[in-house]
Amino acid sequence: MNIGIGKAHGKVILVGEHSVVYGKSAIALPLLSKETTVEIFISKNVNSFSSEYYTGELTSLPINLKGIETLLNLLCEKFSVRISDLSMKISSTIPANRGMGSSAAVSLAIIRAFYNLYNQSLSDREARQLVMVAESINHQNASGIDLETVISQLPIFFNKSEGSSSIQVKIKGYIVIADTGELGNTHAAVGTFKQNLEASSSMLVKLEQLGSLADISKIAIQDGSLDFLASAMNKAHNILKTFGVSSDKLDLFVSLALLNGAIGAKLTGSGQGGCMIALCKTKTIAESVEKALNEAGACETILLDMEEYYEPNR
Ligand code: MEV
């Protein structure tokens, strides 16, 4: 039996979440150590779907998998397959609803599995179009940054009008990602941000500031200015708080990270749960930040060495 396999990695947003929905710039890193794998095969009436969140008939997917269902219908039509003849298994080390790009990675891995099964090459353009079908159902008004980061092997600078370009990383430093264990909901958080944006004209200034912080961060990353990046991250967190997209646990993690030697810390992704990121000058400091966050109840911490993002031939 032929099996199609597709994989895709996760993502973490450094600066610019939410404001990116309104056309401002943002920076994100591919999270190469976290991956979703999708396996598919076709057999008459096999009709099965297996994942951590739902296992059962593929033709009876729950409503919260509407994005995947729509994508599968499109792919089945494209490859002339009856959806009830499809079997799909999703396994993932990217936790869902934590701002790590799980939904975009699942969609991309599904698309890659189909193209792998039918031995067809997949252009980035086609991948983008198809992932966005699911993403715009999963999230209110998705900017496309998650999709661009799960496609890329390098850090990206993104805005809606110019799309994505890779950033040459020159900073030395470590990022600790800490998972609060609280489930975020991108759709709801984007709604809260919008409500607060519309509540007063001063919020428009804050929106502009979030965009400028991403522009500054890009220069800092390219110039090796760790302190500028850290300061942009701290400012971004405080602004995101005023938009109501942080949480008590995210704020606690930010304070603890800074208390334990991090120089910048903020929520990442849509917020109201999910993950926090902290920037540290040395590995020793990063490890003590990880320890403090684990003691405070982080359900997982991940350590990223920024040198992992240096371009190989630089
Ligand atoms: C979600 O990872 C990032 C948000 O900015 C939404 C989006 O850009 O689609 C909150």
Side-chain angles (χ1 to χ4, degrees):
M1 178 190 312
N2 276 347
I3 294 186
I5 297 180
K7 291 175 186 283
H9 56 254
K11 70 102 203 334
V12 62
I13 295 181
L14 210 47
V15 192
E17 50 276 274
H18 286 289
S19 42
V20 69
V21 172
Y22 296 87
K24 310 295 168 205
S25 299
I27 296 172
L29 309 174
L31 197 52
L32 302 172
S33 62
K34 293 275 175 192
E35 195 172 62
T36 294
T37 303
V38 170
E39 294 167 59
I40 57 166
F41 69 84
I42 311 291
S43 177
K44 198 150 180 54
N45 293 327
V46 64
N47 191 19
S48 79
F49 185 97
S50 147
S51 76
E52 202 180 319
Y53 301 95
Y54 166 78
T55 294
E57 289 190 343
L58 199 146
T59 47
S60 315
L61 292 180
I63 188 76
N64 59 344
L65 298 182
K66 187 84 196 145
I68 290 184
E69 185 185 296
T70 310
L71 177 64
L72 286 176
N73 281 322
L74 261 177
L75 287 163
C76 283
E77 200 182 306
K78 177 176 170 62
F79 290 100
S80 308
V81 177
R82 272 171 19 119
I83 194 149
S84 54
D85 292 346
L86 184 63
S87 169
M88 171 173 300
K89 180 174 166 221
I90 302 178
S91 39
S92 185
T93 58
I94 312 173
N97 304 109
R98 308 299 223 293
M100 288 196 226
S102 150
S103 72
V106 166
S107 300
L108 182 58
I110 290 175
I111 297 160
R112 285 180 170 160
F114 269 87
Y115 278 71
N116 176 253
L117 184 67
Y118 291 98
N119 218 0
Q120 285 197 19
S121 67
L122 171 69
S123 69
D124 280 355
R125 195 167 152 266
E126 272 171 297
R128 281 188 176 94
Q129 278 172 351
L130 287 164
V131 175
M132 277 315 271
V133 169
E135 283 290 274
S136 41
I137 294 171
N138 294 335
H139 305 319
Q140 188 179 351
N141 210 1
S143 67
I145 191 169
D146 289 14
L147 146 70
E148 291 299 334
T149 323
V150 303
I151 283 183
S152 175
Q153 296 291 318
L154 292 169
I156 62 159
F157 182 74
F158 171 87
N159 60 54
K160 277 183 178 176
S161 57
E162 287 160 25
S164 109
S165 55
S166 57
I167 302 183
Q168 238 194 27
V169 176
K170 287 201 180 148
I171 48 170
K172 279 188 193 300
Y174 294 83
I175 287 180
V176 173
I177 305 171
D179 185 352
T180 61
E182 294 171 343
L183 300 187
N185 177 330
T186 302
H187 194 93
V190 167
T192 305
F193 188 96
K194 183 170 187 274
Q195 251 177 16
N196 282 304
L197 179 63
E198 287 165 356
S200 105
S201 54
S202 69
M203 296 310 265
L204 274 175
V205 178
K206 295 188 182 198
L207 179 73
E208 290 301 327
Q209 283 172 337
L210 280 174
S212 313
L213 290 170
D215 295 327
I216 292 168
S217 299
K218 180 187 179 192
I219 300 170
I221 291 169
Q222 289 173 335
D223 273 6
S225 316
L226 207 60
D227 290 322
F228 279 101
L229 176 60
S231 144
M233 288 169 67
N234 290 329
K235 286 181 183 144
H237 183 73
N238 287 327
I239 298 175
L240 287 166
K241 249 172 96 165
T242 65
F243 277 99
V245 293
S246 191
S247 72
D248 289 348
K249 204 159 177 188
L250 282 166
D251 291 343
L252 171 73
F253 278 19
V254 164
S255 311
L256 276 176
L258 295 173
L259 256 176
N260 282 276
I263 51 173
K266 62 182 279 294
L267 66 87
T268 178
S270 55
Q272 296 185 334
C275 292
M276 181 229 56
I277 51 171
L279 183 64
C280 306
K281 281 194 169 157
T282 66
K283 192 168 181 192
T284 312
I285 297 174
E287 283 168 352
S288 64
V289 167
E290 274 191 294
K291 187 168 174 281
L293 294 170
N294 281 317
E295 283 168 6
C299 64
E300 184 184 12
T301 56
I302 302 164
L303 185 56
L304 297 178
D305 178 350
M306 287 306 284
E307 282 196 33
E308 285 166 25
Y309 295 111
Y310 285 15
E311 283 181 53
N313 53 357
R314 201 167 57 99

